[in-house]
Amino acid sequence: MSNEAAMRAFITDWFQRFDRLDPPEAFLEDLDPNVEWNMPDVSVSLSGHERFLDWYAGVLESFEAPTEHHVSKISAGRSSADFEVLFRARLKNGSCVEMKVREQWQYVLRPDGQPLITRYSATPVKEEKKQ
């Protein structure tokens, strides 16, 4: 299996875990302990796994399961991946959220060939208005 095909499978599995709102432990094994976690609404005073856990606690407090992540435009190299995600979810207060983000990951390959994410960044994609 090519590196790009392997990353596509890994990314699909990763977001299936988010869709189910799996427990935080389901993600930690794929994140370097010192991962650079760059997401909106995250405490800048924390780093690595602590930063991810703080962010994910907010996710679990806010969203109803299941959520939806639709991944597109995947480009994966030997140590990085770039793609878009359309995220849809229902908040626990009953309102709905929809957002498109651009994700950029950096990773190293472990001896078993699976990626270990060292940098995770997601930024909102601004949609151009059609006239």
Side-chain angles (χ1 to χ4, degrees):
M1 180 182 315
S2 73
N3 185 62
E4 184 150 355
M7 274 310 294
R8 285 178 183 274
F10 179 84
I11 291 167
T12 297
D13 176 66
W14 177 265
F15 285 105
Q16 286 174 345
R17 290 182 256 167
F18 274 132
D19 285 345
R20 295 185 303 260
L21 295 179
D22 283 1
E25 298 77 26
F27 301 94
L28 292 179
E29 69 182 32
D30 294 320
L31 294 172
D32 184 278
N34 297 310
V35 64
E36 185 180 326
W37 188 261
N38 297 316
M39 293 285 283
D41 304 323
V42 66
S43 173
V44 294
S45 66
L46 301 172
S47 62
H49 279 184
E50 286 184 341
R51 193 169 187 166
F52 166 79
L53 290 169
D54 183 65
W55 172 83
Y56 197 56
V59 168
L60 294 175
E61 289 172 7
S62 301
F63 296 104
E64 296 280 347
T67 64
E68 294 178 36
H69 291 82
H70 302 278
V71 180
S72 62
K73 301 180 183 177
I74 298 173
S75 173
R78 189 95 180 114
S79 62
S80 64
D82 189 301
F83 52 94
E84 287 187 1
V85 178
L86 176 60
F87 169 69
R88 292 185 182 122
R90 180 175 302 280
L91 294 167
K92 290 188 177 181
N93 69 11
S95 62
C96 293
V97 174
E98 181 173 307
M99 177 186 307
K100 186 181 280 189
V101 296
R102 178 175 179 218
E103 302 236 352
Q104 295 176 296
W105 296 3
Q106 291 179 353
Y107 55 88
V108 295
L109 293 178
R110 295 179 270 201
D112 66 0
Q114 289 296 307
L116 179 67
I117 301 169
T118 58
R119 184 176 186 279
Y120 191 110
S121 177
T123 53
V125 173
K126 295 189 178 8
E127 297 287 340
E128 291 185 22
K129 295 184 180 181
K130 296 180 181 178
Q131 296 189 13

